Amino acid sequence: MATAARLKAPPTAPGRLPLIGHALEMWRRPLEFLDSLTAYDQIVAVYLGPTPTYVLAGPEVVDRVMVADAGHFAKGCSFEKLRDYLGEGLATSEGAFHLRQRRLMQPAFHHRQIDHYARTMARLADERFSSWQAGQVVDVTQEMFDLSLAIVTSTLFSTALDEHIAADIRHDVPVVLRGVYNRASIRPASGRSSPLLETAASRPHTTGCAGPSTTSSAPGAPASPPSSRTCCRCSCRPRTPTAATP
């Protein structure tokens, strides 16, 4: 008699605590914690509170989900909740529309453009490094953010941003990123939006930038670096087959 094969449940990362799961580890040492997951399996369950998140910790399964079988996976509810704030861009769109968006973006990533971007990045990094004085104490986080902002504006905008707009962006981006993460990670009751995002959106601005929405033509803003060098955190769910209509 043939028996149905049972799929092995992904292992749970060690260190899970009651109620909070692995949230303490993620808060205390996120890079080391995520890097450690590669030692257990290609897919590892991490709990943020009572809810499991499945981390793709092996290159083969990352390639399968992101490339080979990408059409069988949707981005999941986290990205669906972000569409109200981020729109239907590359990060949130799916299917045929996502493919169309990717094709529209391809010219910007031609090898000649990449060469131009690389020269711009090297020039701006050298200029910032040259501005430091011997014995000067620098805020590395602020310096890297300012460098990222300079690179983005130099490669995506036709003109440089003045210091007032740059200061607003430096202030607003962390607020928006925290709100976006809060919106994606927490399921608010009755579909209410994240308080952080509501605060960012309602804050008065003199530059025309309103929280997560911007009137700029730039396709993106400086983003936080990935949480891990080797792990790809995905919130994916299998696509539900659409019933055939007569």
Side-chain angles (χ1 to χ4, degrees):
M1 177 183 297
T3 58
R6 295 180 62 86
L7 295 176
K8 183 182 71 171
T12 298
R16 179 185 176 189
L17 299 175
L19 300 179
I20 66 172
H22 300 94
L24 188 60
E25 289 288 328
M26 287 290 294
W27 179 72
R28 283 180 171 175
R29 52 182 197 100
L31 295 178
E32 295 88 343
F33 175 70
L34 290 174
D35 268 342
S36 71
L37 301 182
T38 59
Y40 303 108
D41 207 336
Q42 294 212 47
I43 304 178
V44 183
V46 172
Y47 283 78
L48 302 177
T51 306
T53 296
Y54 297 97
V55 179
L56 308 184
E60 294 86 0
V61 71
V62 169
D63 180 77
R64 180 176 177 183
V65 171
M66 303 297 292
V67 181
D69 293 336
H72 297 291
F73 292 89
K75 292 182 178 178
C77 61
S78 295
F79 285 88
E80 291 171 1
K81 289 186 289 185
L82 293 180
R83 287 184 187 137
D84 289 341
Y85 302 97
L86 302 182
E88 285 280 357
L90 279 176
T92 56
S93 61
E94 299 184 274
F97 186 77
H98 180 267
L99 181 60
R100 174 180 176 274
Q101 298 282 75
R102 285 186 57 188
R103 288 173 175 168
L104 289 173
M105 291 286 291
Q106 279 179 345
F109 294 95
H110 189 274
H111 64 86
R112 287 193 296 270
Q113 290 295 104
I114 298 298
D115 289 341
H116 168 68
Y117 300 153
R119 290 193 299 270
T120 300
M121 292 175 188
R123 174 178 58 81
L124 292 172
D126 185 64
E127 290 175 359
R128 181 156 294 272
F129 173 76
S130 300
S131 70
W132 299 343
Q133 305 299 319
Q136 177 185 356
V137 177
V138 298
D139 183 337
V140 175
T141 299
Q142 187 63 56
E143 289 290 319
M144 292 301 100
F145 185 91
D146 289 343
L147 175 59
S148 300
L149 180 60
I151 290 172
V152 169
T153 55
S154 296
T155 53
L156 299 183
F157 291 93
S158 58
T159 57
L161 299 181
D162 65 43
E163 182 55 34
H164 295 294
I165 296 177
D168 264 3
I169 293 175
R170 283 194 294 268
H171 176 275
D172 292 344
V173 165
V175 176
V176 173
L177 291 179
R178 286 195 300 270
V180 166
Y181 178 79
N182 185 43
R183 173 69 175 173
S185 303
I186 301 173
R187 298 180 180 179
S190 304
R192 292 184 60 193
S193 61
S194 160
L196 278 173
L197 280 176
E198 291 172 349
T199 301
S202 62
R203 175 179 175 269
H205 292 260
T206 58
T207 60
C209 179
S213 301
T214 176
T215 57
S216 166
S217 59
S224 298
S227 298
S228 171
R229 299 188 304 275
T230 57
C231 298
C232 175
R233 180 183 183 276
C234 293
S235 176
C236 297
R237 57 174 171 78
R239 290 190 184 278
T240 303
T242 304
T245 54

